[in-house]
Amino acid sequence: MTLFSIARKNIKKNLTNYFLYIGSMIFSIVIYFTFVSLKYDQTIQQTTDSSTKISSAFNGASVVLMIFVAVFIWYSNSFFTKRRKKEVGLYSLLGVRKKQIGRMLFYENFIIGIIALLIGIILGSILSKVFETILMKVMGYDVIGNFVISPQAIVNTVIVFTVITVITSIHGYRLIYRFKLIELFKAEQEGEIEPKTSVIIAILSVLLVGVGYWLALQNILESEVWRKMGMVTPLVIIFTVILGTYLLFSTLTVYLLKLLRKNKHHFWNGINIVSTSQLLYRIKGNARTLTIIAVLSATTLTAVGTAYSIYYNNRMNAEISNPNSMMFMAKEKNASVQIKERISKDKDHEIVYHETVPALLVNADITSLHSKISADKVEYTIIDNKTYNQLAKWQKRDESLSLMGNEAVALDAGYFEGLSPKYVGSTISLNVNDRSKNITFTDMKKFNVLNLGTAGITVVVSDEFFSNLASETNLVNMEVYELTNEDNAKTLSKEIQSMLPEEARLSSFYFDYAQGMESSGLLIFMGGFLGLVFLAATGSIIYFKQLTEATVDKERYEILHKIGVNKKEVKKSIAKQIFFIFAMPLLAGIAHSIVALIALSKLMQTNLVIPVFICIGVYACMYIAYYFLTVRNYYKIVMK
């Protein structure tokens, strides 16, 4: 019998143990193959307006995925090799040389890698059309392409995963030379030393995480700490949170478990003595793994939560920038008439309202506003009180103004707290025909009644003041349209764009909405699938770790069963023990991601609550599924 055939039989015999590992690898290969296929997809290149950006995005995502999968396979391979120490020791005792044992394990890992690669490419080829449809849908395109298998994607995937498989197989081969024969047979009998704990380090772990959270939640624009430390601050946040998390798992949990052990009522209840003791003795050894999983969970939730938030709020952002479906400056009357006729004839869109807005484009000296993002001079679009009230009524805003004299109100839809000008109470000078006219801001609205792309920041003045300004400078008529079915106005918007000169400054709800759908849809697609791969890998790592410990614990549970402990109590003890291991990194990861997302919501000045909790809920449900799978298989191993 050859080493290759032994390796093949070993895989067949241990297929149950290898199943999740192979499944995770296959899933990773399917996603990688999909990303590479979409990079070369002709339908995407012909349909989207930013195919180059999409190709670059998939390139970057593929590299991240490749590195992560390589680390995951390396880590998992080390688990499996160490778990089989006794088997390797038996081979050595029978006279099989380490070189041959190493070759056998090399063959095993390589066979698993090739099987996963073949199944992954076949499934990826079958599902690539489904993934392409999902991508086009979330990007806002209703396009169905032809089923095409990309040869470049197959070659790319085969090369990448063959290299990863070879490297990890060599790594497994080299591990054999690190084991001594006595270590191989006595591995399961090695005594576990009770970890020492330090109250000072336990407190330090909480302080480090607290400092990281405090820095993350500071207002970047106003915080003295951020101002002094600059871009070093994010690195400090990452370092303190990761180190604090590791110390929390390795020290604080040990301290809390020892306190729990002192609680006699709990400790001597049922077989809590077993689960509590096993957790206490092993928690320090699991600290590094749990820290990695907590950090990966936090990264995944933050990335996916941010991507989904952008996608979720896309329509709202487009409406903020474009309160009207379409708007442009009308310098030629004939062009305005032609456009109105074209819109009136369109069967897919009805005119809800149409206004010709008289406006003034006036340069203003805003030195007194102390703006951090604007120059000293800007161009404002000036409209009168009456026009504002009419548009606000059309747009169903419960807002009306009654301005007198030189009173003014700023309409700044892109207002950014801490950076934008401080309008209220300030006086600025409007430059009209080399003369200055002062206005004083009595209020500021974080919305506009005119489209941002055409009008920019709008200033509302009293009707009397507007008449005086209009007598000294030229009026500009702005055509404002509100249409039904505005998010499907691609054809109409493009036709009107072709009818107008560039200086008309056409702004369209559809253009901003479609652009947002394309970019945020791409983000949510990549973030979602990469997040699933990360979840599969992190869940698998805990699964492998716990099953390795189950093999060691088998004899202990056999003794418990012989002295009268029933199966229900054993399963309950296992469930408690594994719940602790699963819950800690999940809760830490959720806490880290919530803080990160709160900081991002302040920076982006948007509400992320609903999309973030949706992402956390989905992630937690999938994570819980891994928990139940681990409990089930752990129980089967110890009770077999």
Side-chain angles (χ1 to χ4, degrees):
M1 186 177 287
T2 63
L3 291 173
F4 189 83
S5 60
I6 293 173
R8 193 176 67 248
K9 286 187 176 182
N10 279 342
I11 293 170
K12 191 175 180 180
K13 184 178 69 175
N14 294 304
L15 191 60
T16 305
N17 296 331
Y18 281 123
F19 181 75
L20 196 59
Y21 172 56
I22 296 172
S24 299
M25 279 185 66
I26 290 170
F27 185 64
S28 302
I29 292 166
V30 168
I31 300 303
Y32 182 84
F33 178 80
T34 300
F35 280 8
V36 178
S37 296
L38 293 174
K39 171 189 169 184
Y40 297 110
D41 193 273
Q42 293 296 320
T43 304
I44 294 174
Q45 292 178 5
Q46 292 169 7
T47 305
T48 61
D49 298 324
S50 54
S51 57
T52 307
K53 291 180 182 178
I54 292 174
S55 179
S56 301
F58 279 116
N59 264 336
S62 300
V63 171
V64 172
L65 182 61
M66 180 176 64
I67 294 169
F68 181 78
V69 171
V71 173
F72 162 66
I73 295 173
W74 180 289
Y75 202 73
S76 304
N77 188 46
S78 299
F79 268 138
F80 284 119
T81 306
K82 290 175 182 176
R83 184 181 173 185
R84 297 172 64 188
K85 282 184 179 181
K86 199 168 184 178
E87 181 188 339
V88 171
L90 184 60
Y91 286 132
S92 297
L93 195 64
L94 292 172
V96 183
R97 288 176 295 174
K98 284 187 174 181
K99 183 178 180 181
Q100 291 174 311
I101 298 170
R103 279 173 58 195
M104 184 190 70
L105 294 180
F106 177 91
Y107 291 149
E108 281 187 31
N109 195 55
F110 196 73
I111 290 169
I112 290 171
I114 295 301
I115 291 171
L117 183 60
L118 290 173
I119 296 173
I121 289 176
I122 292 168
L123 286 177
S125 300
I126 295 169
L127 297 173
S128 60
K129 192 71 224 165
V130 177
F131 290 133
E132 181 194 313
T133 305
I134 293 171
L135 174 62
M136 298 304 284
K137 188 70 178 175
V138 296
M139 289 175 66
Y141 295 105
D142 293 321
V143 178
I144 299 176
N146 298 321
F147 179 76
V148 179
I149 297 174
S150 170
Q152 300 102 311
I154 292 175
V155 172
N156 191 311
T157 306
V158 168
I159 291 171
V160 167
F161 279 89
T162 301
V163 170
I164 291 174
T165 303
V166 169
I167 292 172
T168 53
S169 299
I170 292 170
H171 171 65
Y173 179 92
R174 290 183 62 201
L175 279 176
I176 300 303
Y177 287 89
R178 299 180 188 177
F179 298 149
K180 296 177 181 179
L181 187 59
I182 188 67
E183 180 191 15
L184 297 171
F185 279 105
K186 297 291 183 180
E188 293 179 11
Q189 299 172 20
E190 290 175 0
E192 292 168 319
I193 302 171
E194 181 177 317
K196 295 180 180 179
T197 186
S198 167
V199 177
I200 295 172
I201 296 177
I203 295 171
L204 179 63
S205 69
V206 177
L207 288 175
L208 283 169
V209 174
V211 167
Y213 284 3
W214 179 77
L215 285 172
L217 295 174
Q218 293 297 299
N219 188 320
I220 295 175
L221 302 173
E222 297 178 2
S223 171
E224 192 66 29
V225 177
W226 275 84
R227 191 176 296 114
K228 288 180 178 179
M229 294 174 63
M231 294 312 295
V232 178
T233 314
L235 298 177
V236 173
I237 293 170
I238 293 169
F239 175 77
T240 53
V241 169
I242 292 176
L243 180 59
T245 304
Y246 175 75
L247 294 176
L248 187 142
F249 289 146
S250 63
T251 306
L252 182 61
T253 49
V254 173
Y255 180 74
L256 294 175
L257 285 168
K258 284 187 176 183
L259 285 179
L260 189 63
R261 189 174 61 179
K262 291 179 180 178
N263 184 340
K264 304 301 180 183
H265 177 72
H266 174 270
F267 190 65
W268 296 104
N269 183 20
I271 58 171
N272 285 341
I273 184 173
V274 177
S275 54
T276 304
S277 298
Q278 289 190 166
L279 280 172
L280 180 59
Y281 278 82
R282 287 177 176 160
I283 194 67
K284 199 159 188 175
N286 285 326
R288 186 174 62 178
T289 302
L290 297 179
T291 303
I292 291 170
I293 291 168
V295 171
L296 281 174
S297 298
T299 305
T300 302
L301 286 170
T302 303
V304 176
T306 304
Y308 184 58
S309 299
I310 294 170
Y311 184 78
Y312 184 87
N313 293 318
N314 177 53
R315 185 180 188 89
M316 181 184 70
N317 293 333
E319 286 175 347
I320 289 172
S321 298
N322 301 274
N324 308 288
S325 300
M326 208 170 289
M327 181 175 167
F328 58 90
M329 292 184 185
K331 293 187 177 180
E332 295 182 9
K333 191 174 181 180
N334 290 336
S336 300
V337 172
Q338 289 174 2
I339 288 169
K340 187 175 181 180
E341 288 177 356
R342 169 64 187 89
I343 295 173
S344 301
K345 290 177 182 177
D346 198 296
K347 296 179 181 179
D348 297 325
H349 308 281
E350 294 180 5
I351 299 175
V352 178
Y353 66 78
H354 167 228
E355 287 285 330
T356 300
V357 177
L360 301 170
L361 301 180
V362 179
N363 289 321
D365 183 351
I366 61 166
T367 309
S368 60
L369 296 182
H370 306 293
S371 172
K372 295 181 181 178
I373 58 174
S374 300
D376 291 339
K377 293 184 181 294
V378 297
E379 183 182 69
Y380 284 143
T381 298
I382 311 291
I383 60 172
D384 59 20
N385 197 144
K386 180 181 176 183
T387 301
Y388 169 84
N389 288 342
Q390 180 61 51
L391 287 172
K393 181 181 176 182
W394 280 119
Q395 294 167 13
K396 298 179 180 179
R397 298 182 189 275
D398 188 20
E399 299 275 353
S400 62
L401 298 175
S402 299
L403 300 175
M404 304 293 291
N406 68 339
E407 293 177 342
V409 173
L411 307 180
D412 191 349
Y415 185 83
F416 200 100
E417 195 73 42
L419 287 179
S420 293
K422 296 180 180 179
Y423 295 101
V424 180
S426 299
T427 299
I428 65 169
S429 297
L430 302 178
N431 302 319
V432 182
N433 291 334
D434 297 327
R435 294 174 60 190
S436 295
K437 291 185 177 289
N438 293 337
I439 56 171
T440 301
F441 290 109
T442 57
D443 198 2
M444 188 277 298
K445 309 288 185 184
K446 293 182 181 180
F447 63 83
N448 204 335
V449 292
L450 302 179
N451 291 12
L452 188 64
T454 304
I457 299 173
T458 303
V459 174
V460 185
V461 297
S462 65
D463 296 339
E464 181 186 358
F465 192 87
F466 184 86
S467 298
N468 293 334
L469 283 180
S471 64
E472 298 181 27
T473 187
N474 296 325
L475 277 171
V476 176
N477 288 325
M478 295 187 175
E479 298 293 330
V480 173
Y481 287 90
E482 180 64 23
L483 309 174
T484 58
N485 198 24
E486 61 183 357
D487 49 352
N488 289 314
K490 179 179 180 179
T491 304
L492 181 62
S493 296
K494 288 199 169 183
E495 282 188 27
I496 292 174
Q497 186 180 44
S498 65
M499 295 167 67
L500 289 169
E502 191 174 339
E503 56 268 21
R505 297 187 194 174
L506 172 68
S507 58
S508 162
F509 170 86
Y510 171 79
F511 286 149
D512 284 358
Y513 175 74
Q515 187 179 7
M517 282 288 287
E518 186 174 290
S519 56
S520 62
L522 180 62
L523 280 176
I524 193 63
F525 179 86
M526 291 195 300
F529 280 95
L530 286 175
L532 287 173
V533 172
F534 288 6
L535 173 62
T538 51
S540 298
I541 287 170
I542 300 184
Y543 176 85
F544 301 146
K545 184 80 171 172
Q546 291 305 299
L547 292 198
T548 303
E549 293 178 0
T551 307
V552 178
D553 294 339
K554 186 176 179 181
E555 291 182 5
R556 297 170 188 173
Y557 281 102
E558 282 179 359
I559 294 169
L560 287 172
H561 188 57
K562 286 175 182 177
I563 62 174
V565 177
N566 61 44
K567 292 182 179 180
K568 186 178 179 181
E569 287 179 313
V570 169
K571 193 166 187 177
K572 188 177 179 182
S573 173
I574 291 168
K576 284 182 181 179
Q577 181 180 324
I578 295 175
F579 177 79
F580 193 81
I581 297 295
F582 267 85
M584 282 198 304
L586 177 63
L587 293 175
I590 289 174
H592 296 345
S593 66
I594 287 175
V595 171
L597 288 164
I598 289 172
L600 279 172
S601 67
K602 285 182 179 179
L603 190 63
M604 297 164 63
Q605 295 199 350
T606 185
N607 191 347
L608 307 179
V609 173
I610 294 174
V612 165
F613 275 97
I614 290 172
C615 290
I616 289 174
V618 172
Y619 189 89
C621 287
M622 292 179 167
Y623 201 79
I624 290 167
Y626 269 95
Y627 163 72
F628 284 112
L629 180 65
T630 306
V631 170
R632 176 177 170 271
N633 288 335
Y634 193 111
Y635 177 76
K636 283 174 67 177
I637 289 171
V638 299
M639 297 303 293
K640 190 174 179 181

